[in-house]
């Protein structure tokens, strides 16, 4: 459904010198800086896949989605979505996909959401019966029927995002690009949006490419992830492989009772960090957890002790820091 080959986008920005004379000099001699927002990225996504698109801020995720949507042109490489070239911006292609930007609104701010839905119906030329059936289904799934006639600016952030999803799905796209769809939402709203996306993907087989900084979104929705950093792809494969890398270590948390542990204590294995409240965090290889646990209990009394998996966020951060080779 999505084929990307050596996709590259370079932004050229003017570097202005400070002050008045810096501006004058810029009239005659300009210095430019090139930023490779996407750098030779290649991947393919099959129909019906729900793929996580991960990377730190500025990695090039949104730029890639905008190139796939035809909003910006690539500097190099090619992309095809359902056989279409996004750069041609054909009407047939525009009817095929939808793009939801978590920090951008497509609904009219000072009108009820239902008015924007009627406008979208006219833009896409949707038959009345199809429009009503799709709208009723989405409204009920997202539980926002009572809010359809409320001004968009008066909706909560969670309600507004649900309306944005409805607006994107009214024309039943085959491909859905989601850029931070749960940003700023509370935990309950995030969970409802995730449940909706999971159910919608399973029922309609819509191909979804999802970016998110909330690892709960990725771990609950995606079996496959593509990771980019500084515009380059550094990983493409199963999420389980990344979480498996985290499984090679465990975190032991414990709080020694006052005066119970000797000064400058060090674990037999792993790294040690002391928090401000006196709690001690140990990153220990999985095979040495039992030995370190026994060492802690033998040295002194503790008020609390737990063993935890390494959070997915930490595993991804380590992946960025060491620039894992693309697979």
């Amino acid at each position: 459904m999505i084929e990307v080959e050596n996709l590259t986008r370079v932004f050229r920005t003017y570097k202005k010198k400070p002050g008045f004379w810096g501006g004058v000099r810029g009239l005659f001699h300009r210095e430019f800086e090139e930023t490779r927002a996407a750098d030779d990225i290649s991947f393919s996504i099959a129909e019906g896949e729900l793929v996580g698109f991960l990377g730190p801020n500025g990695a090039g995720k949104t730029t890639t989605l905008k190139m796939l949507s035809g909003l910006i042109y690539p500097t190099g490489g090619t992309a095809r979505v359902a056989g279409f070239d996004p750069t041609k911006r054909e009407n047939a292609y525009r009817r095929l996909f939808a793009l939801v930007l978590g920090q951008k609104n497509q609904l009219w701010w000072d009108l009820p959401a239902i008015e924007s839905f009627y406008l979208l119906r006219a833009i896409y030329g949707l038959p009345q019966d199809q429009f009503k059936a799709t709208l009723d289904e989405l409204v009920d799934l997202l539980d926002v029927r009572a809010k359809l006639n409320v001004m968009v600016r008066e909706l909560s952030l969670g309600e507004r995002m649900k309306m944005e999803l409805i607006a994107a799905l009214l024309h039943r796209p085959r491909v859905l690009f989601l850029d931070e769809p749960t940003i700023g939402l509370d935990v309950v709203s995030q969970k409802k949006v995730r449940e909706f996306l999971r159910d919608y993907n399973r029922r309609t087989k819509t191909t979804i490419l999802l970016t998110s900084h909330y690892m709960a979104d990725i771990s609950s929705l995606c079996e496959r992830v593509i990771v980019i950093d500084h515009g380059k792809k550094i990983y493409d494969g199963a999420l389980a492989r990344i979480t498996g890398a985290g499984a090679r270590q465990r975190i032991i948390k414990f709080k020694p009772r006052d005066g119970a542990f000797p000064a400058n204590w060090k674990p037999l294995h792993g790294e040690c960090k002391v928090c401000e409240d006196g709690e001690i965090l140990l990153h220990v290889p999985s095979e040495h957890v039992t030995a370190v646990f026994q060492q802690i209990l033998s040295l002194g009394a503790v008020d609390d002790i737990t063993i935890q998996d390494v959070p997915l966020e930490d595993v991804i951060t380590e992946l960025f820091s060491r620039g894992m080779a693309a697979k």
Side-chain angles (χ1 to χ4, degrees):
M1 181 60 74
I2 301 174
E3 296 180 2
V4 173
E5 187 173 351
N6 307 121
L7 199 63
T8 301
R9 172 67 193 199
V10 178
F11 290 101
R12 192 164 178 256
T13 54
Y14 165 53
K15 293 177 63 178
K16 179 185 176 300
K17 298 291 184 180
F20 172 76
W21 289 110
V24 173
R25 283 194 295 270
L27 294 174
F28 303 97
H29 178 70
R30 293 199 162 204
E31 294 183 10
F32 292 90
E33 181 179 42
E34 288 191 348
T35 302
R36 302 181 77 83
D39 191 359
D40 202 33
I41 297 174
S42 298
F43 60 84
S44 62
I45 298 175
E47 184 172 7
E49 271 196 284
L50 200 167
V51 179
F53 199 37
L54 306 181
N57 289 328
K61 304 184 300 297
T62 302
T63 298
T64 302
L65 293 188
K66 287 182 176 179
M67 286 191 286
L68 293 176
S69 303
L71 294 178
I72 59 177
Y73 290 97
T75 306
T78 60
R80 299 196 73 80
V81 181
F84 290 93
D85 180 354
T87 62
K88 294 182 179 179
R89 301 181 179 179
E90 300 169 76
N91 284 337
Y93 177 59
R94 294 181 187 184
R95 294 175 181 275
L96 180 141
F97 81 93
L99 171 66
V100 177
L101 300 172
Q103 301 186 64
K104 301 281 187 181
N105 295 319
Q106 63 175 317
L107 301 176
W108 287 79
W109 193 251
D110 293 315
L111 291 176
I114 190 65
E115 298 292 338
S116 293
F117 298 158
Y118 288 144
L119 175 61
L120 289 169
R121 179 205 160 197
I123 290 174
Y124 286 105
L126 301 176
Q128 174 63 25
D129 56 346
Q130 177 187 324
F131 169 77
K132 186 177 185 308
T134 305
L135 180 61
D136 287 343
E137 177 188 15
L138 295 174
V139 164
D140 290 338
L141 284 171
L142 288 168
D143 192 25
V144 289
R145 185 172 294 277
K147 301 293 183 178
L148 284 176
N149 293 300
V150 177
M151 299 291 182
V152 170
R153 57 183 166 81
E154 296 178 358
L155 297 173
S156 69
L157 186 57
E159 292 165 346
R160 200 155 65 241
M161 180 49 62
K162 291 177 182 178
M163 297 298 186
E164 293 283 349
L165 285 171
I166 292 173
L169 298 174
L170 277 175
H171 63 290
R172 299 179 182 176
R174 294 173 58 197
V175 179
L176 180 59
F177 300 121
L178 296 175
D179 187 30
E180 303 283 354
T182 60
I183 189 168
L185 303 188
D186 60 75
V187 175
V188 175
S189 296
Q190 287 178 20
K191 183 179 179 182
K192 289 182 178 179
V193 169
R194 286 196 295 267
E195 289 174 348
F196 167 76
L197 291 174
R198 186 189 305 113
D199 178 66
Y200 190 82
N201 171 253
R202 288 173 179 171
R203 288 188 303 102
T204 65
K205 303 302 180 183
T206 301
T207 305
I208 300 177
L209 186 57
L210 165 71
T211 80
S212 180
H213 286 294
Y214 295 117
M215 290 301 105
D217 292 349
I218 302 301
S219 59
S220 64
L221 292 174
C222 306
E223 295 182 359
R224 174 189 170 195
V225 294
I226 298 170
V227 184
I228 65 171
D229 190 19
H230 293 92
K232 286 188 172 293
K233 184 180 74 173
I234 61 174
Y235 178 77
D236 181 358
L239 178 63
R241 181 165 175 257
I242 295 180
T243 55
R248 291 196 289 268
Q249 281 205 337
R250 292 289 188 272
I251 297 176
I252 300 179
K253 287 185 179 183
F254 71 98
K255 192 166 186 178
R257 196 161 294 169
D258 292 341
F261 271 61
N264 300 322
W265 173 83
K266 291 184 178 180
L268 291 171
H269 306 278
E271 300 177 358
C272 177
K273 177 184 177 182
V274 181
C275 302
E276 292 183 0
D277 61 356
E279 186 177 55
I280 297 177
L281 301 181
L282 304 178
H283 283 255
V284 181
S286 298
E287 63 270 21
H288 298 304
V289 167
T290 301
V292 174
F293 198 85
Q294 291 173 343
Q295 178 196 15
I296 294 170
L297 296 180
S298 66
L299 283 175
V302 296
D303 289 330
D304 188 25
I305 184 167
T306 60
I307 301 176
Q308 302 176 354
D309 292 332
V310 178
L312 181 57
E313 291 91 336
D314 294 348
V315 179
I316 296 293
T317 301
E318 184 181 353
L319 189 66
F320 297 150
S321 64
R322 71 171 186 254
M324 181 177 177
K327 298 290 184 180

